[in-house]
Amino acid sequence: SSVFSLGSGSSDINVNTNTYVAYCWAAVKGFSAFGSYTGNGSTDGPFVYTGFRPRFVMVKTYTTTQSWQMYDSSRDPYNQVTYTLFANGTNAESSTNGNFDFLSNGFKLRNGDFAINKSAESYIYMAFAENPFKNALAR
């Protein structure tokens, strides 16, 4: 719960004299959520429960090679959330026909796009709350 190992045997991981960065998050009820879902390829896609209305969501398939897709309610304050940024690319912001509805308790996929909702594809996500219920200074 407090350490992780990189292992060895790969030319891309744990190479002597190389510098690495690790981003480690943990779910905090009412603040952040992490998990997975399975796509259905439909404009009536899966609903993902987070326990809060998301401000930011990042999604990636882990069974094929697609870009990390990022969505937020700052650039796109009304449903459907359509503006996409790509975390691992140099692409400009993209606007599609609508990808997500940000709801009071999670998000719902509204596009059958293969990068976020391909039928039977597995995806991981991270989400952060628009108005966090938890506060480090709360008593």
Side-chain angles (χ1 to χ4, degrees):
S1 66
S2 60
V3 299
F4 65 95
S5 299
L6 296 176
S8 62
S10 171
S11 61
D12 297 326
I13 300 172
N14 204 14
V15 177
N16 190 27
T17 72
N18 284 4
T19 302
Y20 297 90
V21 175
Y23 297 98
C24 303
W25 292 284
V28 176
K29 187 175 180 179
F31 178 79
S32 60
F34 306 89
S36 63
Y37 65 89
T38 301
N40 66 7
S42 170
T43 56
D44 184 20
F47 167 75
V48 178
Y49 178 81
T50 61
F52 52 79
R53 178 180 169 81
R55 166 70 108 199
F56 173 83
V57 173
M58 188 158 76
V59 173
K60 168 110 174 61
T61 174
Y62 63 88
T63 49
T64 63
T65 56
Q66 296 294 325
S67 294
W68 288 91
Q69 312 278 316
M70 298 187 302
Y71 303 87
D72 65 82
S73 63
S74 294
R75 292 173 304 117
D76 219 350
Y78 306 104
N79 285 331
Q80 291 180 349
V81 176
T82 60
Y83 294 110
T84 308
L85 291 173
F86 305 96
N88 59 314
T90 58
N91 313 45
E93 175 183 76
S94 173
S95 179
T96 64
N97 294 328
N99 290 312
F100 292 98
D101 280 343
F102 282 176
L103 306 171
S104 63
N105 59 350
F107 60 92
K108 178 150 178 76
L109 283 289
R110 294 292 187 187
N111 188 319
D113 185 82
F114 62 92
I116 59 168
N117 187 24
K118 182 179 178 182
S119 182
E121 194 76 40
S122 299
Y123 298 87
I124 56 174
Y125 72 88
M126 60 189 264
F128 292 92
E130 185 170 78
N131 294 305
F133 299 129
K134 293 285 183 177
N135 186 324
L137 301 176
R139 297 195 188 276

